[in-house]
Amino acid sequence: MISNPPRPATKRAAVPLVVTAAATAPGVYLGLTGTHLSPALAALLFGIAVVGAAFVLSWVAEAVQVDISAGLAITVLALIAVLPEYAVDFVFASEGGRAFAEYGPSCVPPGSTDQSSCGLALANMTGANRILVGVGWAAVVLLAAWRIRRNGQDKSQEKPRKAGVTLERTDAVPLAFLGVATLYSLTLPLRHSITLIDAVVLVGIFVLYAVRVAKAPPGDPDLEGVAKVLGEQPKLRRRLACAGLFAFAAAVILLVAENFAHALVETGTQVGISQFFLVQWVAPLASEAPELLVACLYAWRLKTTDALATLVSSKVNQWTLLVGTLPVVFAVASASTSGLPIDAAQREELLLTAAQSLFAVSLLLSLTITVRGALVLLGLFIAQFVLAGVLPQSIKGIELVALSIAYLVAAAVVTVRSRRHLVTLARDGFRTPYRELAD
């Protein structure tokens, strides 16, 4: 009996899976054997492995939408997609906790010029959050606008093309919870540490959010590529495949995340690049790349609502669960109840990240973000690097405060202009039944 040949779609799906698995192989080999390479080359190979594992996670996260409700699927998607970010950040938080136990609040040996591990944990978190909004949100809107202009009118959007990207009414839920988390996060720069109390509050916000979205009615996900092939498999085969791929990606991340973090720090020390810069911007780019690429792919296909909704949910995840669990990891590693220390430089970074988040939320009060709004988000994100490059060393850091003020003022202006949408967003986000929102 001759078996039927594999379907073309299955063959096409196997190609990116094989390529991704091959991309993780060098990093996995280095992690298993302990082979020593130059820090820069090791960081590159470990980083590629993280990116490959993150792609696998993104495919699994999309495929599981077949088995759970639409709202819960978005939450699971956001959780799974940022696992690489968690892994890298937890490495620094854990090392910071051990350094705190040994050296005190400075987290470095006396006389050392190395960057504090505690500061690196916060640097990785703030960088990831700002990339997600300043690059991710903006890129989705601008790419979609360019595609619409090239292809003619976007038939999937009822608004005029000048309106930008419009979310569904159900997306008021993550946006409302993001607003609450952002308002609370504005208090963090006023502290000397992120404490376990902050952890309870932020994780509590995420739990309430997860409970809220779990009530969403089942949806019919529109999958593409590998995720589509996985989603179309029979139930048992689909679940086994997703479980196996998830286990593979998680194993890769656990194996290479710590090595990736260490290689980045060693690269900075060896070649004279700031460790802080590499941890804040290069590491998050590796862990966030698949998520950003998937969102941009959605935007390219003019699935603009799906693209932006996924990034909004990821922002909720990072700004609640990720920030909230860092002090827990730190406390466990330091064997104390002390909070994750915040030095003066990190207070400015936290302020800028919170201010950017507030401005981003204000832009979406009407559930629509325009091209102009996206350009402002991207422009202010780039301005940080431009200002840092032109300002004299004696006043470095002032650009963070100046941009924070700009974000906060812009958020206040936009909120006042969109104030009629504020009550509607809060009502839909926290009270309106999900079935009514879906209808």
Side-chain angles (χ1 to χ4, degrees):
M1 180 176 176
I2 301 175
S3 60
N4 293 326
R7 291 179 299 174
T10 305
K11 288 183 176 180
R12 288 196 299 270
V15 173
L17 278 174
V18 171
V19 171
T20 302
T24 65
V28 170
Y29 174 79
L30 293 180
L32 287 173
T33 62
T35 303
H36 293 287
L37 299 175
S38 67
L41 179 57
L44 176 63
L45 295 178
F46 287 131
I48 291 173
V50 169
V51 171
F55 266 112
V56 174
L57 288 174
S58 69
W59 292 326
V60 172
E62 288 185 81
V64 299
Q65 297 179 60
V66 175
D67 295 308
I68 57 180
S69 69
L72 186 58
I74 289 179
T75 305
V76 172
L77 173 62
L79 267 172
I80 294 178
V82 296
L83 280 181
E85 181 61 36
Y86 277 79
V88 174
D89 231 332
F90 283 2
V91 168
F92 290 119
S94 180
E95 292 183 349
R98 292 193 292 269
F100 177 87
E102 186 172 357
Y103 305 116
S106 67
C107 296
V108 293
S112 174
T113 59
D114 289 341
Q115 176 67 47
S116 161
S117 297
C118 303
L120 292 178
L122 290 175
N124 190 253
M125 180 273 292
T126 55
N129 271 276
R130 297 216 292 273
I131 288 173
L132 187 64
V133 174
V135 176
W137 289 25
V140 163
V141 178
L142 297 177
L143 181 58
W146 181 76
R147 286 282 291 164
I148 291 169
R149 186 173 181 179
R150 285 280 305 260
N151 295 351
Q153 186 175 0
D154 179 8
K155 298 179 182 179
S156 67
Q157 297 280 355
E158 295 181 1
K159 302 286 185 181
R161 66 177 70 173
K162 66 179 181 180
V165 174
T166 299
L167 295 173
E168 301 288 349
R169 193 178 173 194
T170 51
D171 296 316
V173 175
L175 197 61
F177 279 92
L178 177 58
V180 171
T182 297
L183 291 174
Y184 183 82
S185 70
L186 285 170
T187 69
L188 296 181
L190 305 177
R191 326 274 187 78
H192 293 287
S193 64
I194 302 178
T195 67
L196 294 177
I197 295 176
D198 297 320
V200 170
V201 173
L202 291 170
V203 174
I205 292 173
F206 178 80
V207 170
L208 292 175
Y209 164 66
V211 170
R212 172 84 163 121
V213 298
K215 299 176 182 178
D220 185 18
D222 186 12
L223 305 178
E224 297 283 349
V226 177
K228 181 178 181 180
V229 173
L230 290 174
E232 290 176 344
Q233 300 302 311
K235 180 185 293 187
L236 180 59
R237 186 185 302 173
R238 178 177 66 248
R239 292 180 176 179
L240 288 175
C242 287
L245 290 172
F246 178 82
F248 165 76
V252 170
I253 290 169
L254 290 174
L255 188 62
V256 306
E258 184 172 1
N259 294 308
F260 177 53
H262 290 162
L264 276 180
V265 173
E266 291 175 13
T267 300
T269 302
Q270 188 178 76
V271 303
I273 300 175
S274 167
Q275 297 175 355
F276 186 91
F277 178 86
L278 290 175
V279 170
Q280 186 172 38
W281 301 117
V282 177
L285 274 176
S287 57
E288 299 280 356
E291 185 179 11
L292 296 178
L293 288 174
V294 169
C296 288
L297 185 59
Y298 275 140
W300 180 263
R301 295 170 177 163
L302 295 180
K303 297 179 180 179
T304 52
T305 297
D306 292 337
L308 189 57
T310 300
L311 295 184
V312 170
S313 295
S314 294
K315 174 64 178 178
V316 176
N317 186 306
Q318 291 192 11
W319 209 217
T320 55
L321 195 59
L322 176 58
V323 180
T325 50
L326 287 182
V328 176
V329 174
F330 177 86
V332 171
S334 64
S336 70
T337 58
S338 299
L340 180 62
I342 305 174
D343 59 25
Q346 289 305 319
R347 275 193 283 275
E348 295 170 353
E349 296 285 350
L350 280 170
L351 175 61
L352 180 58
T353 308
Q356 183 206 49
S357 180
L358 187 66
F359 176 57
V361 170
S362 71
L363 289 175
L364 277 171
L365 287 178
S366 64
L367 297 183
T368 294
I369 180 170
T370 64
V371 171
R372 180 183 299 175
L375 287 172
V376 174
L377 271 179
L378 182 61
L380 288 174
F381 177 82
I382 295 174
Q384 173 187 339
F385 302 98
V386 175
L387 291 174
V390 300
L391 288 176
Q393 189 65 36
S394 58
I395 58 171
K396 280 291 178 65
I398 192 67
E399 76 277 4
L400 303 182
V401 177
L403 286 172
S404 298
I405 294 173
Y407 275 124
L408 293 173
V409 171
V413 171
V414 174
T415 301
V416 170
R417 290 180 176 177
S418 304
R419 58 188 179 277
R420 67 183 184 278
H421 299 291
L422 194 56
V423 175
T424 302
L425 179 70
R427 183 178 64 247
D428 287 350
F430 301 121
R431 294 183 55 188
T432 305
Y434 240 108
R435 290 194 177 279
E436 183 179 335
L437 294 178
D439 291 340

